[in-house]
Structures are given as structure tokens and as C-alpha cells.
Amino acid sequence: MGRKEKLQVLHVVSEVVPFLTTGGMGQVAGALTHKLAENYPNTDIRVITPFYAHFRDKYEPQMTFLGETEVSLAWRTLYCGIYEMKLKGVTFYFIDNRHYFDRDNAYGYFDDGERFAYFSKAVFSVIELVGFRPSIIHAHDWQTALVIIYLKTHFNEAYKATRTIFTIHNMEYQGKYIPGTLHDIFDLRDNDLSLVEYEDCINLMKGALVCSDKVTTVSPSYAREIQTSCGYGLERIIRENAYKLIGIINGIDTELYNPATDPLLKKKYSAQSPGGKASAKKRLQGLFNLPKSPRKMLICVVSRLVSHKGIDLITYILDDLLNLDIQFLLLGTGDHNYELFFEDKAVLHPGKVAVSIAFNPDIAGLIYAGADVLLMPSRSEPCGLSQMIACRYGTIPIVRKTGGLGDTIKDCRAGEGNGFVFDDYNAWSLLDTIQHALDLFAHHPDDWNNLIAEAMGCDFSWDISAREYLRLYEELEG
Ligand code: GLC
């Protein structure tokens, strides 16, 4: 880069590791910003996120209080404390307002719209207070869509030189509200309505799609799919804005997810010395009261138990699957009917089926290492991170060809591959694919081991995708 000044990029996101993550977005925001700062010293990467109660005790002692200001949101004047912390080359700002963020969960409240409208408005107060004028504002998902909308509706003059990027992590959650919220909750005016109105609702994601300079989503396939399906009703808007849409595949944090150093593992391993994987499997079987037999294929699911993850396919074939010589292990929470279904199966088939209805990243880590196979038969999947983590730990993913799953996993039956891929959203296709995997596992151990080596050798680091984001920033900055 020949520039004199650093490229200043501000990410605005409602969750970010290591502070808080409830899903993939927080992991992506943390890993991407770290990688940008690490690989490109000529960038100044900063992140704004809410100061949730979840990490107050752990991180407040390491933060600096920068000051307080007021944020106006329609008729409200609201407190805004600003804290700062630097971590691995990235500057983080935390917006403090206990009324909005001192809650048990990050999301799921009746006033989420107001909470994230406040947060989005507060971003501009932080920028003023700290005197950082970003060239690029990069917002993620509906919770921060309003930052991009406000930039057009409230701050257009002052931010003429600032360009915006909106990243879609999941089209399913759009921030939809009744039209009556326009003024009092979202602090928008009548003539702003056309920006955010869609199908008789206020739709914040739609507003960001329209107002942003660039839209990205988390895989090239998903960028195509959301123009015709998987767009949860916004397909037309996506098509109208396709000229500024680009799909950039997510990476994973390969330092964090590394079987050679992972503190969760008692015996570390790598592609060159894979012995520790067998111990991880044994330990996992022990933890879930499954017989510790190395020759039984251990098939695992780590997922939110919701329909677009393809859980109904698994429920449909589970009895047939259990006729095979395998063990089945599931970790996840979600729809109550699915939870009950799997709990019942565990009761009916002790020693063959084990189920933990929980969200537990540590147990998930043990599963990624100890399983033979990870099932991800999603109906739609913007990117998916688990299939990449599984590969890194030598666990073979069986995925449906959709979104990022098809972009990251190649079917080994078609030549070189790092997993198994099926096309149709059909339970029998899933079962057939599992049978192929079982055949390879049980009867062709050398081929299976080669497949493990292939999977572990894949480069899912952020290096390539971080470069693509950088290119986009530079293009926007002109
Ligand atoms: C969302 C998507 C997931 C993606 C993640 C990170 O959680 O559902 O597919 O990997 O965001 O972008």
C-alpha cells in the first residue's frame, strides 16, 4: 500500500469475540478484525459493540473509561458511557447503558428494536467523542442496519466522505417492526419511510441494503441463492441491489481451533501425528456413556435445533441410521419438539445414542475433536463455521450442498475432497451419504485416514478472505 494515512475502518457489531458470542457472527467479527489488523499494519481497525453485563466483571478492569455523553433517540435523551480496550491490534469501544444491555441475554426482548436503535445512534456520539473519523463503516446484520440508515438520514452532510458496507450473516433475521415505530422508536421521519418500508413493515435489513455502498454476505453461493430463494422475502430487494453485492467466504480462527495446541485436548495432535484423535474419541465416548470402541463410527451433530439446519431430515432417518453399526451424539438447543425427540431416543437407545440439550462451547470443542463424522444437512446455510472447524480436527463433515457448506466442502466420492456432500434436501439422500461414509470408515481404513489428512490440510484461515475485505475497503475509499 502506497498510502501515507492509515485506512480507518470501524466495525459496528452487536457481538464480538472474545467478549460475547451467541453464534457465528461474533466469531467472524472477532477473527476478521484481528486478521486485518495483524496482516495489514497500514489499517486502523476499530470495533464498537454494546457493553453487556456478561463480560463486565472479566474485562472492565482492562478497559479505559473515555467519558460519557448523551444520545438522543426521538423524544428520549439517553446516557451513553464509552469504554475503550485495545486487543491484538484492534481498538474496541463499548457502549455502556445498563438499562439496555444489563440483561441475561443479548437478544430476545420486546424492546430489541429500541435497544439497537439506541446503539446505532450512539455510534455517532462515540465517533465525535473519540475524534476518530472512519473512511469505512462496516455494519453486521439487522442490529446495526440503522447505523447505515442514520448515516443517510441524519448525518449525510457530516459523513459525506464515509463509505458503508453491510454484511449479511443470515437473511432470516431482518429486524421487522410495525410501521408505527418509525418516529418514536427508530427516530426516522416520514420522508425516510420509503428507505425502510417493505411489505407493510419497517424492515431494517432492507433499509441497510438500500442505503449501503456495498453489501457482502458470507459465501459466494449464498450471495447467489438469496437472489432467488433463501432470502426470506427480501429476494427482490437483493436482486435490485445485486450490483453492489459480493459473497466473501468466512474463515475460522486457526490459532484458536488448532488440535496441536488446543487446551481442551489432553493429548494434542496434528495431520502429521494424528494419534491424539483416537484419545479424544475415547474420552468423548466416556463422557457420554457410550462404549469406548474405536471401530464404531461416532456420528455427531452440534447445532441449533431449528428447521433450517435440516434437523427434520435427521429425525426422519434416525431409526434407520440406528440399525447401522454406529454411535450417535447430539449437542444443541432449540425447538422444543426436536429437543424432546432426541431426548426420547437417548432413553430408548442407551449406549448407542447420547444427547445433551445444551449450548456449551467446551463440549462442542470435544466433539469436533472426538467425532468421526459431523452432520450438517442444512436447508440453507449462509456460511457455517462448524464444518471448517470439524475439518481442522480431522472430523469428516457430511453436508448438504447449500451456501457456504457447498463452497467449503468437496465430495471425496468425486475425486479429491474433504468430506461428503449431497444435493437434494431429502432424508434418503442424507442416509445414503452416511452409508457411503460408513463403508469407507469400516472397510477402507487407509482411504479414511487419507480423507482425514485431506480435511486437516485444508486452509480455512482468514488470510485470503481478509485480503478480499481489504480490497473492498480500498476500492470504496477510491
Ligand atoms: C450466521 C450464519 C452462519 C454463518 C455465521 C457467520 O450465524 O447462520 O452460516 O457462518 O453467521 O457469518
Side-chain angles (χ1 to χ4, degrees):
M1 282 192 287
R3 64 174 60 248
K4 288 199 203 79
E5 307 246 308
K6 288 191 171 193
L7 175 68
Q8 301 189 309
V9 183
L10 180 64
H11 281 254
V12 187
V13 66
S14 61
E15 56 179 79
V16 56
V17 290
F19 303 101
L20 179 78
T21 176
T22 66
M25 181 173 70
Q27 292 200 41
V28 165
L32 169 63
T33 51
H34 171 211
K35 192 48 98 180
L36 284 166
E38 180 178 84
N39 287 8
Y40 304 103
N42 223 355
T43 58
D44 182 352
I45 307 290
R46 307 196 189 191
V47 180
I48 301 191
T49 196
F51 196 164
Y52 296 105
H54 303 74
F55 53 80
R56 189 174 288 276
D57 290 349
K58 182 161 178 204
Y59 286 106
E60 192 173 340
Q62 300 170 55
M63 294 178 186
T64 309
F65 178 65
L66 294 185
E68 55 186 57
T69 179
E70 282 175 345
V71 172
S72 71
L73 185 69
W75 45 267
R76 307 166 189 79
T77 301
L78 300 157
Y79 170 83
C80 172
I82 302 165
Y83 289 75
E84 183 193 68
M85 181 173 156
K86 296 196 166 120
L87 192 69
K88 298 198 215 162
V90 179
T91 304
F92 291 87
Y93 299 111
F94 302 90
I95 293 182
D96 181 39
N97 181 305
R98 292 191 187 217
H99 168 62
Y100 288 131
F101 302 125
D102 218 338
R103 304 193 185 179
D104 290 343
N105 299 305
Y107 321 112
Y109 298 96
F110 78 98
D111 59 347
D112 279 358
E114 181 182 322
R115 295 168 72 220
F116 291 104
Y118 158 79
F119 173 64
S120 301
K121 203 76 185 299
V123 166
F124 296 92
S125 307
V126 176
I127 292 175
E128 293 309 321
L129 193 126
V130 303
F132 173 73
R133 186 51 66 103
S135 319
I136 313 279
I137 292 184
H138 187 158
H140 300 260
D141 270 359
W142 77 266
Q143 294 90 341
T144 56
L146 276 164
V147 179
I148 292 179
I149 299 166
Y150 288 148
L151 198 134
K152 281 272 176 295
T153 56
H154 290 61
F155 302 98
N156 203 15
E157 274 304 305
Y159 286 79
K160 272 215 165 81
T162 303
R163 298 284 166 264
T164 54
I165 298 184
F166 182 65
T167 293
I168 303 165
H169 293 266
N170 200 329
M171 292 291 305
E172 194 176 351
Y173 312 105
Q174 299 177 359
K176 285 192 199 173
Y177 293 90
I178 53 168
T181 52
L182 185 75
H183 305 120
D184 280 354
I185 304 295
F186 295 121
D187 193 13
L188 293 168
R189 291 160 297 229
D190 286 338
N191 53 2
D192 304 326
L193 183 63
S194 65
L195 296 175
V196 289
E197 191 184 30
Y198 191 65
E199 294 180 339
D200 301 326
C201 283
I202 307 282
N203 185 318
L204 299 178
M205 184 176 269
K206 184 251 175 174
L209 294 174
V210 171
C211 294
S212 56
D213 294 308
K214 285 272 180 201
V215 177
T216 75
T217 189
V218 290
S219 68
S221 290
Y222 195 61
R224 282 192 302 276
E225 291 163 4
I226 56 179
Q227 301 187 35
T228 51
S229 59
C230 310
Y232 290 89
L234 277 178
E235 290 85 354
R236 179 172 66 77
I237 303 295
I238 297 281
R239 279 198 301 277
E240 284 169 10
N241 290 280
Y243 69 94
K244 59 181 177 185
L245 171 68
I246 160 171
I248 302 179
I249 194 81
N250 286 332
I252 53 170
D253 183 337
T254 47
E255 277 167 44
L256 188 69
Y257 296 112
N258 182 357
T261 54
D262 192 332
L264 283 175
L265 303 183
K266 288 200 177 128
K267 200 161 169 212
K268 320 288 177 210
Y269 62 96
S270 65
Q272 292 70 36
S273 105
K277 183 154 178 69
S279 327
K281 176 171 177 181
K282 203 164 159 194
R283 183 166 159 219
L284 185 62
Q285 289 168 317
L287 198 66
F288 281 93
N289 294 320
L290 296 168
K292 293 183 183 169
S293 68
R295 295 307 312 148
K296 285 232 187 295
M297 188 162 94
L298 178 53
I299 301 178
C300 295
V301 177
V302 179
S303 181
R304 273 187 301 127
L305 304 179
V306 293
S307 83
H308 82 260
K309 293 285 181 187
I311 305 300
D312 46 347
L313 297 191
I314 301 175
T315 60
Y316 201 75
I317 52 143
L318 193 59
D319 284 338
D320 294 276
L321 191 59
L322 294 178
N323 285 329
L324 305 175
D325 191 23
I326 56 120
Q327 296 173 339
F328 180 86
L329 167 56
L330 175 138
L331 171 74
T333 59
D335 292 353
H336 197 48
N337 285 341
Y338 289 138
E339 294 182 351
L340 290 178
F341 174 89
F342 287 110
E343 278 181 329
D344 281 354
K345 292 291 176 196
V347 172
L348 286 173
H349 303 275
K352 182 140 193 161
V353 176
V355 169
S356 171
I357 300 301
F359 172 81
N360 186 325
D362 284 355
I363 303 282
L366 296 179
I367 295 178
Y368 292 134
D372 293 305
V373 160
L374 185 81
L375 298 187
M376 289 184 80
S378 302
R379 187 193 296 274
S380 70
E381 192 66 70
C383 178
L385 303 175
S386 306
Q387 80 280 14
M388 296 189 261
I389 300 170
C391 282
R392 184 108 174 108
Y393 286 82
T395 294
I396 302 305
I398 294 184
V399 306
R400 177 164 172 267
K401 191 170 180 358
T402 178
L405 294 177
D407 290 345
T408 52
I409 305 302
K410 298 290 163 237
D411 196 310
C412 60
R413 291 169 294 182
E416 272 180 26
N418 53 357
F420 290 84
V421 184
F422 66 100
D423 243 304
D424 303 342
Y425 191 75
N426 177 315
W428 302 113
S429 300
L430 169 63
L431 184 62
D432 180 59
T433 310
I434 296 174
Q435 275 166 329
H436 275 126
L438 180 59
D439 179 56
L440 198 73
F441 175 86
H443 304 300
H444 307 276
D446 288 346
D447 292 343
W448 185 261
N449 287 337
N450 288 342
L451 180 58
I452 291 181
E454 196 67 45
M456 292 185 82
C458 293
D459 180 4
F460 290 127
S461 74
W462 266 103
D463 288 309
I464 295 167
S465 297
R467 194 185 314 133
E468 281 200 54
Y469 279 107
L470 182 78
R471 219 178 279 141
L472 202 60
Y473 298 155
E474 288 179 335
E475 177 193 326
L476 274 181
E477 211 201 13

